[in-house]
Amino acid sequence: MKHKQITDKIGFQQLNESVEDDLIRLVTRGMALKNGGSLDDIESYVLPLMLTRWNCVLKAETGLVRYYKEKVYLTLATQLHKYGFSDKHITEKALEAIDLLNDNVVLSDDFFRKSPKIKEFLKTKPTALKRKPSRQKNITFFRENDVISINIDGTYYIAFIHKLIGVNESPVIEFYEQVFNRPPKLEDIKIKKARGQQYNDDIIRASKFAIYGMKYQPDLANQIHLLSASENSTMAPDSSHLEECVGVYTVSNLFTIQDTVRKMFSESSI
């Protein structure tokens, strides 16, 4: 049994690519940090960041297509195993998902026949990677002037896409000041005031971020939602109350932006 055989039988190529892209980005960064001496355990770095994003599916109570959560559990368990990691809870849920998918005849007869082998394979100890994985091509299906929400630990942050880097490589976003504890709608944005970032000089400045890895729309991790596919810039946040931005934008990704956003919206930044 091989990892690709399992993901091929799940039959959701975009989901598999999305999970693998996220893992490659995290594993590559984790290996660099470990080689630099600032990280001892790559798994303790990868799993929390991965789950902050994919828990938007795994912990969702509504809004998902039937059996999608089971396919995500199984894909996560398979890809984690491929890259040398194993999470007991995810593996257990993946094994349960196999039974549920078979009981409801969701996948193929071949998946049903190979299920015992798949289960045994996922329960084996994964082999740690010895070299950095190949990076995937950066691409985004989001567009200029889109308004999006990003779910981080159950808090929803709103952002505006000012432009795209390169040939649809990465969106450059700026955050609004409003936050929500529920999935927001476009009409919930009452004030178009931009949220700034506090720098080491204690000055709060306008801040934009190029988010690499923000690929699929709709987002298969259920973390990023499109609120408006705008055709003009009328929804752009107003940053006139903030000091001038340092540089054009800060290069970031779906994982490093998590801590950045938490700090930007903390009490010390108000």
Side-chain angles (χ1 to χ4, degrees):
M1 181 61 62
K2 296 184 181 297
H3 301 96
K4 188 176 185 302
Q5 290 177 297
I6 301 174
T7 54
D8 283 351
K9 294 182 196 318
I10 298 171
F12 199 154
Q13 180 182 354
Q14 292 80 8
L15 171 60
N16 183 55
E17 288 179 356
S18 185
V19 171
E20 187 165 28
D21 284 354
D22 285 353
L23 268 175
I24 287 174
R25 194 173 300 277
L26 286 172
V27 170
T28 300
R29 177 63 174 164
M31 285 184 166
L33 291 172
K34 185 174 182 180
N35 290 338
S38 59
L39 185 68
D40 294 327
D41 179 24
I42 297 177
E43 184 170 341
S44 65
Y45 170 78
V46 170
L47 283 176
L49 290 170
M50 192 71 176
L51 287 176
T52 295
R53 176 159 158 72
W54 286 91
N55 273 342
C56 297
V57 171
L58 304 181
K59 293 187 176 182
E61 297 180 357
T62 59
L64 299 179
V65 175
R66 195 176 185 187
Y67 306 120
Y68 182 62
K69 187 178 294 189
E70 285 74 24
K71 292 179 181 179
V72 169
Y73 267 121
L74 183 52
T75 303
L76 274 172
T78 304
Q79 287 294 351
L80 285 171
H81 193 279
K82 176 180 177 180
Y83 285 91
F85 309 114
S86 179
D87 179 84
K88 181 179 179 181
H89 175 72
I90 291 176
T91 301
E92 288 175 351
K93 296 296 289 186
L95 299 180
E96 292 175 8
I98 291 172
D99 291 335
L100 184 63
L101 293 169
N102 283 329
D103 289 344
N104 291 276
V105 198
V106 178
L107 301 180
S108 66
D109 289 342
D110 191 44
F111 178 84
F112 175 78
R113 289 192 296 269
K114 298 289 177 33
S115 290
K117 290 184 178 180
I118 293 173
K119 288 182 177 182
E120 290 304 314
F121 181 75
L122 292 178
K123 288 189 285 187
T124 62
K125 184 178 180 180
T127 302
L129 288 184
K130 296 181 179 179
R131 57 193 300 179
K132 290 182 180 180
S134 299
R135 293 292 294 269
Q136 307 288 38
K137 181 179 179 181
N138 287 309
I139 188 171
T140 181
F141 296 118
F142 289 88
R143 291 294 177 259
E144 184 175 327
N145 298 324
D146 284 353
V147 180
I148 61 172
S149 72
I150 304 177
N151 178 3
I152 301 176
D153 299 327
T155 299
Y156 295 82
Y157 304 88
I158 315 300
F160 178 84
I161 298 178
H162 284 278
K163 64 178 182 178
L164 302 181
I165 302 299
V167 182
N168 297 338
E169 288 183 9
S170 165
V172 175
I173 71 173
E174 183 176 23
F175 288 95
Y176 297 88
E177 192 168 67
Q178 281 183 281
V179 297
F180 300 88
N181 58 8
R182 54 168 176 78
K185 298 179 180 179
L186 186 67
E187 53 265 31
D188 292 326
I189 304 175
K190 304 299 184 182
I191 303 174
K192 298 177 186 176
K193 192 175 181 180
R195 183 73 174 191
Q197 185 177 20
Q198 186 171 357
Y199 286 77
N200 292 334
D201 57 5
D202 292 331
I203 297 176
I204 301 177
R205 301 180 182 275
S207 297
K208 298 175 183 176
F209 305 90
I211 310 296
Y212 284 86
M214 191 172 142
K215 183 177 181 179
Y216 286 108
Q217 202 292 110
D219 178 25
L220 295 172
N222 199 37
Q223 183 182 34
I224 302 169
H225 290 271
L226 182 67
L227 302 185
S228 172
S230 302
E231 297 181 357
N232 56 61
S233 59
T234 58
M235 285 298 298
D238 177 13
S239 59
S240 60
H241 61 293
L242 301 170
E243 294 296 323
E244 187 176 352
C245 183
V246 175
V248 180
Y249 55 80
T250 300
V251 175
S252 187
N253 60 53
L254 290 170
F255 302 101
T256 57
I257 196 64
Q258 292 176 14
D259 279 341
T260 301
V261 168
R262 291 186 187 105
K263 291 176 183 177
M264 282 178 63
F265 286 83
S266 67
E267 291 184 357
S268 59
S269 298
I270 297 176

